[in-house]
Amino acid sequence: MAKATKRPRADVTDAAPSEPGEAAPKRSHGAQPPPLLPQQQGEAANAPVRDRREVMADVARRRAAHFANYAADEDEGAGELQGKQARTLGPWSSARQLVEARSAAVAARQEKILDASRVSPGKAAVSWTPRRDPKLGSRPICRVRPLFELCADVLVEYIEDVESLLGLPDSIKNRLSAAVCQQRKLSNEVVHLFSEGGPAEFVLTNCAALEPDAMATVVKDVATPRLERLELTFCGRGLTESTAAALAAAGPLDRLQVLALRGAYRLTDAALCSILCNASNLQVLRLPQNSLLTEGSIKQLPSLVPLLRELDLSECRGVSGAALQSILTGAMPCLESVMLTGIPEVSNALLAEMALGLPLRHISVARCSGVSDEGLRGLAAACPHLLTLRADACTKITDAGIVALAESCKELQVLSLHGCTKVSDEAVAAVALHGSLTSLNVNSIPGIGLSTIKALATATRDRLEELDISSCRNVPTEALGMLADSCVALKKLHIFCCSQITEQFLYGHSNDNLEVVGGKLGITAPVSARIVLSS
């Protein structure tokens, strides 16, 4: 094939407009064509010599069509070019406009955050004077730890060298095992220290390190007629079919009242039913994060454990709505606590039927996207003695549902509305005014402000123990100071992402037992180094 040589060209090309409002120039003869894409260059190079001019002209026309479609919109400013409109400009102008639009969006977002953190003069009208000089800084740690905690620390530190814990009460063993699990020192060799002797209560807060053989040995040791409480957390690795069979073969567990198997991702319907057949007097059943469970075992719960009072099926995604409806609408008359966190099949109709058929006192529908005001109204009307409600991330809930709770559920003690952004300050204040709240979570609700804080400070001064107002930037520092001084029982306050909180509150309030979590200065009250051991 003959080698082509460059020759002057008279192709027709279109130049791209250089500015947003500039019209496309007319076609000119003798202009150099725009740079070609690699694919287009290959297409031109492979064409015969006699057809190359035609191919290049066709490429030029296609490229020119991309840059010759700009039509200025008189209704929009030059700074509002987005998406398709920005792509009709030349490459340099398009990139410049996109960069400017991104910078403007970042500036607008920052300004919105600053506006949200500014409290209006009317809302900031709180009369509060620090009872402690903020210049003194953080409070000194002066707590003297009990002798039991010091001895327990030594045992946990050298737990691998301990030969036996026989003779210790089960309550002390459980506290030691929790500390060992917290320090990641629970192993296949250490676990027998807590299972030997057939304890009445056996609790492991982290079984992730236990292998199936070790778990089977532990189950055989604790599955005795005197067992009353069995709790295994993160037990998916060790709790296999054979381990469940060993627990089922241990014989009747007539005294077993509490069974908690968290994260048992290998537990099947058949294995669960075989365990429950030997525990007919069970009152508490917690099975969160068990992905293999389906309606095959859930529908048999009324016949297997008829005395059940508490049921936790959080994040059991394999359970269908029909299975939940079959057991939660009157088939288990003793059920008072139901945890259905993260199950998308939960709906308003199911919630209303549950409220009518069960004597509910505690319920969790967190992350159940189908729950709205209609479900809360039905729940409030049928359960006036409700004590706990967790409805985190139920974004369809508005003031109507919260007001219904305030009017009917006057004994409500725990309310969690994390992420319910449509709820207002006044609605939450109406619930707080009943004076029964001990724990309130309004994390990430932008409307929370002075009304809620005042209601808590006046109505729950002797009851409120924990409050989470993270990302609530409309709460003034003075209001928090008034709350901390008034609520003498308040032990924990979460203030993550509250940029308006200053040293005046962090160092100036008078509640020495208050732990402030998430403050920008990291100020907290004195807390034991071994929380597990001191509980």
Side-chain angles (χ1 to χ4, degrees):
M1 182 175 180
K3 183 177 181 180
T5 58
K6 291 185 178 180
R7 293 180 295 179
R9 296 188 40 144
D11 290 16
V12 179
T13 60
D14 292 345
S18 59
E19 297 300 332
E22 182 178 347
K26 296 182 179 179
R27 296 181 178 180
S28 59
H29 297 279
Q32 293 295 328
L36 301 180
L37 299 174
Q39 181 179 1
Q40 296 169 341
Q41 292 177 357
E43 181 181 359
N46 296 330
V49 178
R50 62 178 181 276
D51 297 332
R52 180 166 299 173
R53 180 181 295 275
E54 181 180 351
V55 172
M56 294 294 292
D58 183 60
V59 171
R61 280 192 294 270
R62 292 200 304 268
R63 288 178 56 80
H66 176 72
F67 296 107
N69 293 331
Y70 175 73
D73 190 350
E74 297 179 356
D75 296 334
E76 297 181 357
E80 300 178 355
L81 298 175
Q82 299 177 356
K84 182 178 179 180
Q85 183 180 357
R87 290 193 296 270
T88 60
L89 303 177
W92 171 258
S93 298
S94 298
R96 181 177 178 182
Q97 291 294 333
L98 292 174
V99 170
E100 291 177 353
R102 183 163 57 245
S103 301
V106 172
R109 186 162 57 250
Q110 294 295 334
E111 184 64 24
K112 183 178 180 180
I113 294 175
L114 291 176
D115 290 341
S117 64
R118 300 189 188 102
V119 182
S120 61
K123 291 184 178 181
V126 178
S127 177
W128 176 73
T129 302
R131 299 182 182 179
R132 182 179 183 271
D133 188 1
K135 296 181 181 180
L136 295 177
S138 59
R139 292 165 173 78
I141 300 177
C142 57
R143 178 178 179 270
V144 178
R145 298 182 63 196
L147 180 60
F148 171 80
E149 292 186 12
L150 298 176
C151 296
D153 287 348
V154 176
L155 280 176
V156 173
E157 181 68 23
Y158 300 100
I159 192 65
E160 295 178 353
D161 299 323
V162 177
E163 294 185 359
S164 176
L165 294 177
L166 284 175
L168 288 179
D170 292 339
S171 58
I172 295 180
K173 280 187 178 181
N174 290 336
R175 293 169 67 179
L176 288 174
S177 68
V180 170
C181 292
Q182 188 181 46
Q183 297 293 325
R184 298 293 193 272
K185 291 189 175 182
L186 186 69
S187 61
N188 298 329
E189 295 75 20
V190 171
V191 69
H192 79 278
L193 295 174
F194 307 105
S195 62
E196 62 181 349
E201 296 183 1
F202 184 71
V203 180
L204 294 180
T205 57
N206 191 342
C207 308
L210 297 184
E211 296 180 355
D213 294 340
M215 181 68 78
T217 303
V218 168
V219 166
K220 292 178 182 178
D221 292 340
V222 301
T224 61
R226 64 189 301 263
L227 183 63
E228 299 177 3
R229 178 185 178 193
L230 176 61
E231 296 188 21
L232 303 176
T233 303
F234 304 132
C235 56
R237 180 184 180 187
L239 192 60
T240 60
E241 289 279 354
S242 58
T243 306
L247 181 59
L253 303 174
D254 296 333
R255 301 182 65 179
L256 184 62
Q257 296 184 358
V258 179
L259 176 62
L261 304 175
R262 183 184 185 91
Y265 53 83
R266 294 183 177 183
L267 186 66
T268 61
D269 292 328
L272 177 61
C273 291
S274 63
I275 295 174
L276 296 182
C277 285
N278 295 329
S280 58
N281 296 324
L282 197 67
Q283 296 186 11
V284 178
L285 178 60
R286 303 188 186 111
L287 303 170
Q289 300 175 352
N290 292 355
S291 56
L292 294 184
L293 297 183
T294 64
E295 60 182 14
S297 59
I298 300 302
K299 287 185 176 181
Q300 299 185 43
L301 291 181
S303 59
L304 295 174
V305 283
L307 303 179
L308 201 65
R309 298 176 57 188
E310 179 181 340
L311 176 63
D312 188 352
L313 297 176
S314 299
E315 300 183 22
C316 293
R317 303 297 179 87
V319 180
S320 63
L324 293 176
Q325 187 174 10
S326 65
I327 66 171
L328 298 178
T329 55
M332 306 182 74
C334 299
L335 205 57
E336 297 179 352
S337 176
V338 179
M339 303 295 156
L340 303 175
T341 301
I343 300 182
E345 285 76 11
V346 177
S347 61
N348 291 326
L350 177 60
L351 188 58
E353 291 181 9
M354 270 198 307
L356 291 173
L358 300 175
L360 289 178
R361 304 297 296 274
H362 311 273
I363 187 170
S364 174
V365 290
R367 302 197 302 276
C368 296
S369 57
V371 175
S372 64
D373 293 334
E374 181 183 354
L376 286 191
R377 283 194 291 264
L379 176 67
C383 300
H385 302 292
L386 191 68
L387 299 179
T388 302
L389 173 62
R390 302 186 184 277
D392 302 333
C394 294
T395 55
K396 296 180 181 179
I397 294 178
T398 65
D399 287 354
I402 303 302
V403 170
L405 286 174
E407 293 176 349
S408 301
C409 303
K410 298 182 180 181
E411 301 176 10
L412 194 64
Q413 297 179 1
V414 178
L415 178 61
S416 183
L417 300 172
H418 184 169
C420 298
T421 56
K422 296 180 181 179
V423 177
S424 70
D425 190 24
E426 291 74 15
V428 178
V431 178
L433 284 174
H434 292 309
S436 58
L437 285 178
T438 60
S439 176
L440 176 63
N441 186 347
V442 288
N443 190 326
S444 301
I445 301 181
I448 297 299
L450 188 57
S451 298
T452 297
I453 302 302
K454 280 187 174 181
L456 292 172
T458 56
T460 64
R461 62 172 65 240
D462 297 326
R463 298 181 62 88
L464 187 65
E465 299 178 359
E466 184 173 0
L467 175 63
D468 189 346
I469 57 167
S470 300
S471 301
C472 298
R473 300 185 179 92
N474 283 331
V475 178
T477 296
E478 296 79 7
L480 283 183
M482 176 187 64
L483 178 72
D485 292 343
S486 301
C487 297
V488 294
L490 187 61
K491 298 179 181 179
K492 184 172 290 188
L493 176 64
H494 302 262
I495 56 171
F496 287 99
C497 302
C498 290
S499 55
Q500 78 277 14
I501 305 301
T502 63
E503 295 181 4
Q504 186 180 21
F505 162 72
L506 294 173
Y507 297 135
H509 67 81
S510 61
N511 191 342
D512 293 333
N513 296 322
L514 177 61
E515 178 185 0
V516 181
V517 183
K520 62 181 180 180
L521 301 180
I523 307 301
T524 59
V527 183
S528 171
R530 294 289 185 267
I531 299 177
V532 173
L533 295 176
S534 61
S535 60

